[in-house]
Amino acid sequence: MSQAGLVLVVEDEDPVRRYTVSLLEELGFTVLQASDGVEAIEILRARRAEISAMLLDHSMPGLSGEEVLAVVEREGLAVPVVLTSGHDRTSLERRFAGHDVAGYLQKPFRIEKLDEIVRQAVAKRAQAS
């Protein structure tokens, strides 16, 4: 694992997922990928102790980001979650009030903002350990 940390990217749109993974790797992170919520939960259950943070797409077919977050909280999978969405941050903050969300990234995002938000989430995980 890299010094920057291991990040799980959960994104159903393949080009967006590949782009996000390439940016994170450029920033020094090691990355796991999930193309849907079910796969994300399986990875979290198996490797949560290693995962520093999760980038979670809000809108996905099947299990939505909101449903994945509910499973994470219910099962105590304790990983800092950064929600990604095309919706604006304010509407996401209202919708996810009361949930433990480490940050929000509005798509499309710039590498600088991705770096800032993910490093904050990773630091939150490190402080909790």
Side-chain angles (χ1 to χ4, degrees), residues 6 8 32 43-44 47-54 79 125:
L6 179 63
L8 173 58
L32 297 172
I43 291 169
L44 279 171
R47 300 189 66 182
R48 75 177 161 136
E50 303 167 62
I51 297 172
S52 304
M54 175 171 59
V79 169
R125 174 68 184 236

Side-chain angles (χ1 to χ4, degrees), residues 17-54:
R17 188 177 60 255
R18 284 196 319 260
Y19 177 69
T20 304
V21 167
S22 70
L23 291 178
L24 286 166
E25 288 175 344
E26 186 178 321
L27 292 167
F29 293 96
T30 302
V31 184
L32 297 172
Q33 303 176 50
S35 59
D36 61 41
V38 173
E39 187 179 10
I41 290 168
E42 289 171 2
I43 291 169
L44 279 171
R45 286 176 178 153
R47 300 189 66 182
R48 75 177 161 136
E50 303 167 62
I51 297 172
S52 304
M54 175 171 59

